[in-house]
Amino acid sequence: MDKYIINGGNKLYGSIDIQTAKNSVLPILAATVLTDDKVRIINAPNITDAKNMVKILSRLGCKAVFEGNDLIIDSSFADNHEIPSELAHELRSSVFLLGSVISRFHMAKIAYPGGCDIGLRPVDLHLTGLKRLGVEISEESGYIVCKCDKLHGNEIMLDCPSVGATENIMLAAVKAEGVTIIKNSAREPEIEDLQRFLNCMGAKVRGAGSGTIIIEGVKKLSGCEFLPIPDRIESGTFLVAAAMCGGEIEIKHTCAENISSLLHKLRENGCKIRINNDKIVLENNRRLMSVKSIETQPYPGFPTDLQAQITALCCICRGQSIITENLFETRFKYVPELRRMGADITVINRNAFVRGVDGFKGATVVAHDLRGGAALVSAALAAEGRSEVLDISHIDRGYGSFEYKLRMLGGDIVRVTV
């Protein structure tokens, strides 16, 4: 098991590249099952979640190989409709494979998926949508079993704009007979990216980003080369880290529009931010002011995946903040760890009441999930003294070469195997 040892207090300066988006690449990998042709994913991120998805594809019979930073998937040999339980428990996004595996084999079997422990995240919306497309679903000893004679288009109204359910229905519907209309669909940039990828393979999908997605079923999809969008959450994580530590950083190959809600809050804090095409520069050389309130919301609202990071920043700002988590009910598991570092936070239900302190103190803390772990690393970089961040396997799920990029910016951070 690895850990980070961090000596805090260094300001961050320099420039880094942003990886392709974890939350785009995972459903795109699931979509490769829909074609017998080869798919090349350009600049695939070197993260555990992507590696686990590749392992699942391999168990389904697909062939996967890296050529430099590109990942080539050949699904022509796929012959297995069962998603292995040991991998499904490691990766929440394994559930995306339901739609594509059903489309290919007209049957699928998957254990209830795992991932970070940040709340219940039920798959009811996924299953309800699939049923509307003609899938029969049963539960057998902890497995979801799906069968259908054929998939047919239908109108599907989501009770809430679930990203995962939207993507799963899209994957099932692209080769279904007729037209599928998804209403109240998620609007995240990753949804638009999946639409671009599917259309690159020959699908007929439109409307992603608008709240209503229309899919005309096609009989066959072909291979393609595709460059996913930049990872907006990685972009935000590094920007918040620089705001906490001070200094000036440039992040390249990113998209400011996709994190406009975060940039608005950082400017409200007092950060200087410049945007030039696909580059964002953040400068801060003073203690920032607190933002009075932040509420996580579906896109284009403030992203839940940046809630832990912005809360850590608020801990060392002047004044008080209220952070409200509207999407996941147990996403404050990192708070006791920040308290070990001197934070003044009180959590009541879905609200974190933050009173700013002068600074963090180094401590030994545990990463309980992906984004909370990233927040702890940023806090340790800003802290006075030495910190250890344990159980960083969670962080590896979504950040490739995390410590290397932070060292490029001047952070004193090393990975140690214990």
Side-chain angles (χ1 to χ4, degrees):
M1 184 179 295
D2 290 357
K3 66 180 180 180
Y4 286 140
I5 297 177
I6 300 169
N7 292 299
N10 292 355
K11 292 187 176 183
L12 302 183
Y13 291 95
S15 178
I16 57 168
D17 292 324
I18 294 301
Q19 68 186 16
T20 50
K22 164 187 179 289
N23 291 333
S24 275
V25 168
L26 297 180
I28 285 170
L29 283 172
T32 62
V33 175
L34 295 168
T35 178
D36 282 335
D37 297 336
K38 291 182 180 180
V39 171
R40 177 184 289 267
I41 300 173
I42 301 170
N43 204 18
N46 182 27
I47 57 175
T48 304
D49 271 9
K51 293 174 182 177
N52 281 335
M53 183 64 90
V54 168
K55 288 179 182 177
I56 294 174
L57 290 173
S58 297
R59 294 284 288 273
L60 296 178
C62 307
K63 306 296 182 183
V65 62
F66 273 96
E67 290 184 1
N69 293 325
D70 296 352
L71 177 59
I72 293 86
I73 306 290
D74 182 354
S75 297
S76 61
F77 300 100
D79 58 0
N80 181 17
H81 68 274
E82 184 170 337
I83 300 162
S85 60
E86 68 272 17
L87 292 174
H89 288 310
E90 290 294 323
L91 180 64
R92 173 71 185 182
S93 299
S94 61
V95 74
F96 296 142
L97 281 158
L98 268 181
S100 53
V101 171
I102 291 167
S103 179
R104 174 140 190 171
F105 298 109
H106 289 182
M107 61 179 63
K109 182 178 181 180
I110 183 175
Y112 277 97
C116 282
D117 181 15
I118 58 174
L120 295 175
R121 298 195 289 183
V123 295
D124 299 29
L125 292 177
H126 301 243
L127 304 183
T128 300
L130 293 174
K131 287 177 182 177
R132 294 280 294 167
L133 298 177
V135 179
E136 297 178 5
I137 299 173
S138 60
E139 297 182 31
E140 299 176 5
S141 303
Y143 283 84
I144 302 169
V145 180
C146 303
K147 297 178 181 178
C148 67
D149 292 328
K150 65 178 180 179
L151 293 166
H152 53 78
N154 208 338
E155 182 173 303
I156 299 168
M157 170 68 77
L158 294 177
D159 290 339
C160 68
S162 162
V163 173
T166 299
E167 291 171 333
N168 225 339
I169 296 166
M170 291 171 69
L171 293 175
V174 286
K175 294 171 71 177
E177 290 185 5
V179 177
T180 298
I181 301 174
I182 310 172
K183 294 189 174 181
N184 196 31
S185 59
R187 304 184 182 193
E188 273 71 5
E190 294 80 12
I191 302 289
E192 294 186 66
D193 212 32
L194 180 59
Q195 173 180 276
R196 283 191 289 268
F197 176 71
L198 292 171
N199 288 344
C200 188
M201 290 201 297
K204 295 181 179 180
V205 186
R206 65 184 189 273
S210 71
T212 298
I213 298 174
I214 301 172
I215 305 163
E216 298 178 47
V218 298
K219 291 184 178 181
K220 181 178 174 58
L221 295 176
S222 60
C224 68
E225 293 188 359
F226 190 78
L227 174 64
I229 59 173
D231 195 312
R232 61 192 174 105
I233 305 303
E234 188 193 34
S235 299
T237 297
F238 280 103
L239 290 172
V240 173
M244 295 173 68
C245 295
E248 182 175 344
I249 71 166
E250 176 190 63
I251 58 172
K252 300 181 295 184
H253 304 125
T254 188
C255 178
E257 181 181 355
N258 289 348
I259 52 169
S260 59
S261 60
L262 172 68
L263 298 179
H264 173 74
K265 293 298 181 182
L266 290 174
R267 288 189 175 107
E268 196 175 332
N269 283 128
C271 295
K272 297 179 181 178
I273 296 173
R274 303 190 304 275
I275 300 168
N276 183 17
N277 296 322
D278 68 344
K279 300 180 180 66
I280 303 174
V281 176
L282 181 142
E283 179 183 358
N284 176 43
N285 288 297
R286 61 192 178 90
R287 188 180 179 194
L288 299 173
M289 296 299 298
S290 290
V291 174
K292 289 185 178 180
S293 66
I294 298 171
E295 291 195 31
T296 63
Q297 300 286 351
Y299 189 84
F302 194 91
T304 182
D305 279 352
L306 288 173
Q307 178 259 102
Q309 298 91 312
I310 200 74
T311 301
L313 171 61
C314 291
C315 288
I316 54 173
C317 291
R318 297 182 186 275
Q320 301 179 42
S321 301
I322 301 175
I323 315 297
T324 302
E325 174 54 58
N326 290 310
L327 302 182
F328 296 117
E329 65 275 6
T330 61
R331 201 148 204 179
F332 288 122
K333 294 184 71 173
Y334 64 88
V335 165
E337 308 304 316
L338 286 180
R339 288 198 191 111
R340 294 176 189 271
M341 304 180 75
D344 184 351
I345 310 176
T346 301
V347 176
I348 301 175
N349 299 322
R350 290 178 178 263
N351 298 300
F353 299 87
V354 181
R355 189 186 301 270
V357 298
D358 291 338
F360 288 120
K361 304 292 184 182
T364 298
V365 294
V366 179
H368 294 291
D369 60 67
L370 168 57
R371 306 307 177 183
L376 294 175
V377 170
S378 297
L381 289 167
E384 177 185 336
R386 182 179 186 272
S387 296
E388 293 188 8
V389 181
L390 310 181
D391 205 1
I392 61 174
S393 60
H394 290 294
I395 299 172
D396 293 336
R397 288 186 47 239
Y399 297 93
S401 305
F402 195 39
E403 68 274 15
Y404 172 74
K405 290 180 179 180
L406 288 168
R407 281 200 302 272
M408 285 182 61
L409 297 174
D412 187 344
I413 174 173
V414 294
R415 176 188 290 260
V416 176
T417 300
V418 293

